[in-house]
Amino acid sequence: MDNSTSILSHQCLHCMTIFESRNKLFKHLSLCFNDSKRQKDSEEVAKDEEKEDVSTFDLFIIGGRNRGKTLKTCEKLNLGARSEAQEWARVPAYLINNRGSHGTTVLGKKIYAMGGGGIKSNLGTLEVLNTSEIMNSWKVLAPMTVSRHALTAVSTQSGYLFAIGGTTSGNSGYINSEWAQPDKEGNICCDVVEMYDVNKDEWSMRAPMRH
């Protein structure tokens, strides 16, 4: 056996360090294993710290209707709690406007509620609830151009909200679809798309849907 073969036989396959003798290799392996284990444990701890804290995950129910009555109440369920400990709790912050069939979306720690059917007519109002505030309450923001219910609300991480489609009462002047005909109650399924800038607190009309 030549020297090169002998040297390679005393190499740590973890850190690839080469030793002159088997005894030195064995002594090294113990230290190398402990260092490797500590590094792995440290990496696993770091990964655990990067995971989101699900103990603060809450599911909200906002407004709605109960046996024909339009509501302004809010409830939440802590999804991070053990299943046997989960229960719905009333949120002290009530909506400013009673609303049902409205659009809701979340951006950061804030919940936005827009449009919907009010007690007497369709709403164009927009409200926001900052869930990170201890004494939180709903606040009024700039209203939409077209009041409507049964709309879809979405948000983007770039700071925009979109109010898409819905049903409005009569032609507001922004309904472009020729097929949009009012029903017996005068409601029209609209093609309107509006965008809200959370930094400027203002709405703008976007390209309408085709159908």
Side-chain angles (χ1 to χ4, degrees):
M1 182 181 296
D2 57 28
N3 289 336
S4 61
T5 306
S6 176
I7 290 175
L8 289 177
S9 65
H10 304 319
Q11 183 177 30
C12 174
L13 299 180
H14 178 72
C15 65
M16 306 307 294
T17 303
I18 299 174
F19 297 89
E20 296 177 354
S21 68
R22 184 178 301 174
N23 290 337
K24 290 184 178 180
L25 172 62
F26 288 167
K27 183 178 180 179
H28 163 79
L29 288 176
S30 177
L31 297 174
C32 186
F33 173 80
N34 290 332
D35 289 341
S36 175
K37 186 176 185 303
R38 280 194 295 269
Q39 181 180 358
K40 183 177 180 180
D41 291 343
S42 177
E43 291 174 351
E44 290 179 353
V45 169
K47 289 179 180 180
D48 290 339
E49 291 177 349
E50 290 176 357
K51 294 179 180 179
E52 292 187 86
D53 182 10
V54 297
S55 64
T56 59
F57 280 9
D58 292 322
L59 175 65
F60 284 79
I61 291 182
I62 300 167
R65 293 189 174 90
N66 183 16
R67 297 179 181 178
K69 181 180 179 181
T70 304
L71 308 174
K72 63 190 306 183
T73 54
C74 304
E75 298 181 50
K76 70 176 181 179
L77 176 70
N78 188 342
L79 299 178
R82 299 189 307 273
S83 58
E84 63 272 16
Q86 289 181 352
E87 61 179 0
W88 286 95
R90 181 66 61 86
V91 178
Y94 280 42
L95 285 164
I96 297 172
N97 295 121
N98 300 52
R99 63 180 78 222
S101 302
H102 50 289
T104 59
T105 187
V106 176
L107 185 58
K109 296 291 184 178
K110 296 181 179 180
I111 303 175
Y112 295 84
M114 62 189 73
I119 295 177
K120 295 182 178 180
S121 61
N122 285 331
L123 301 172
T125 54
L126 171 67
E127 301 180 41
V128 61
L129 177 69
N130 190 342
T131 60
S132 64
E133 296 178 355
I134 298 177
M135 299 298 293
N136 51 14
S137 61
W138 289 91
K139 297 178 181 178
V140 176
L141 300 175
M144 299 186 295
T145 302
V146 180
S147 299
R148 49 209 152 118
H149 71 275
L151 69 161
T152 297
V154 296
S155 61
T156 67
Q157 292 300 316
S158 54
Y160 297 99
L161 313 180
F162 289 85
I164 304 171
T167 301
T168 186
S169 299
N171 195 327
S172 63
Y174 289 92
I175 312 301
N176 299 306
S177 298
E178 296 180 358
W179 52 264
Q181 298 295 326
D183 59 18
K184 295 180 180 180
E185 298 178 351
N187 295 318
I188 296 177
C189 292
C190 68
D191 54 6
V192 174
V193 177
E194 296 186 55
M195 183 182 76
Y196 175 78
D197 189 326
V198 298
N199 296 313
K200 297 180 179 179
D201 186 30
E202 62 182 26
W203 289 90
S204 60
M205 301 298 294
R206 313 306 292 177
M209 295 185 291
R210 297 182 61 183
H211 300 285

